[in-house]
Amino acid sequence: MKKRWLACTSLLVAAVMSVALAGCSMFGSTTADGNTPSKVAESSGEADSREEYLAAQETPSGWRQLYEEAAADGYTGTYIDFLKEIGATSADPSASVNAAVNTVTGIECAFTEYVQTASGRPTSQSQTVYSAGAGVICSIDKTEGDACIVTNFHVVYNADSTGHETVSHVSDDIIVYLYGSSESIPATYVGGSINYDIAVLRVEDSEVLKESSASAATVADSDSISVGESVYAIGNPEGDGISVTSGVVSVDAEYINITAADDSTTLSLLEIRTDAAINHGNSGGGLFNASGELVGIVNARDEGDGVTGFGYAIPSNLATAVARSIIDNANAGSNDKGATRATLGVTVQIESSEGLRDPLTGKMYIEESVIVRSSSGVGAEMGLNVNDTLISAKITNAEGTVIAEKALTRMHMLSTLLFDVRIGDTLTLVVSRNGETVELTPHTFTSESEFTLFAAKPVT
């Protein structure tokens, strides 16, 4: 599906978060203290340097894991020295890419449309149209022949179609196929979110799947990717079959404007930018790193004037969090067929950002100072004040198990984390206020009214 985009300004980025976490009241300290998670860690002695702290927040993959194991055994060189010594800078990634190909499916959707007159008015005659895309297997049971597949919402949605039995404009005739296979596998729609362009499909009792070599994707921490890192887009361009293109990470996280699946709503979505070739039909496929781990779900490419040659992928942390919420809601018997996100009732913005380079690994980090601009609802109950700087967030379930914990070094991290909150979970926030670190009153979510539903209709 054709997508349009515009680069976002920093003001628009702030507005995006304001819409996502709406709030109203204004109170608290008069000025922000300019702190960030890494500054707090350095000043408290938790880390020797800001760069060391930022590096510790990552989930290393591939060669980085080997380097850290070697360093633990006494290796004293830098990460770059290590790569040169083991020859990893010229290593062949094809084995990892082949493993990743095995996690990607082609998708074909049939839609019924009313034939239109020359003036664009629909007639009583109908026709069947088809669209092609791709998906990534997020879970699989080979014994039962079952699988869940993540794709883009716009792959399974057609604004001009007569629609799905329960969700308007969603295809009720979906097939998927595996790499190298000509046998089609029926799939059903589990749910999706037009706001986040993510949908989930389910395959059940498939003999083809039982006998295949298909596997579920290994998901990387998309907050740990690096600019310049090699990536591979695996999809179904023009519906001609699964294929691979390669490139690098051009921007690790940015908000862009795209036209939603309804062809009218403009969305501001968090994306990874890459120069890997992205074509129609790549939508819903995966963006993988050199270790064959999923870092994003491909969903857009630039098609306008100005900067060209780039494609975009929804970061894996966000895409999988939305998908998990869709699946959990469906398993709980929800008829909404969408994703839910805990609502804080606050607006935040980036006060400042800074680029930091770790001399040990050579990696560049961007750290943002994310401050509160208004607070109401749950946020106000927790004690979140205007000009507080967000430092960290933690989700704990009713049994006391930590579900997720994150240093909030970028503005998008809290919004993503809130998709993993469920009823009965407790959220704990740490902020910096007037130079002091403050742990706010934890909040346990007990009602559906404390969540926002993102389903087939846009939420604005």
Side-chain angles (χ1 to χ4, degrees), residues 225-291:
I225 62 174
S226 301
V227 171
E229 178 179 348
S230 295
V231 286
Y232 301 85
I234 305 178
N236 180 27
E238 300 296 342
D240 291 334
I242 298 169
S243 66
V244 181
T245 56
S246 65
V248 298
V249 174
S250 303
V251 178
D252 61 351
E254 64 178 340
Y255 284 92
I256 67 168
N257 284 353
I258 68 171
T259 303
D262 62 3
D263 291 332
S264 60
T265 305
T266 298
L267 302 177
S268 293
L269 279 182
L270 180 68
E271 304 276 353
I272 298 166
R273 190 197 304 183
T274 178
D275 66 348
I278 303 297
N279 294 288
H280 297 301
N282 271 101
S283 290
L287 188 69
F288 296 85
N289 62 22
S291 298

Side-chain angles (χ1 to χ4, degrees), residues 94-104 215-216 234 288 291-292:
S94 61
S96 296
V97 174
N98 273 261
V101 165
N102 223 23
T103 71
V104 176
S215 61
I234 305 178
F288 296 85
S291 298

Side-chain angles (χ1 to χ4, degrees), residues 341-362:
R341 189 186 67 199
T343 303
L344 290 187
V346 305
T347 60
V348 303
Q349 75 175 52
I350 301 170
E351 181 186 54
S352 62
S353 64
E354 185 177 0
L356 298 166
R357 183 177 184 273
D358 184 350
L360 188 63
T361 64

Side-chain angles (χ1 to χ4, degrees), residues 42-55:
E42 185 180 43
S43 63
S44 67
E46 179 185 345
D48 291 336
S49 69
R50 296 177 62 192
E51 293 82 0
E52 177 188 283
Y53 175 80
L54 293 172

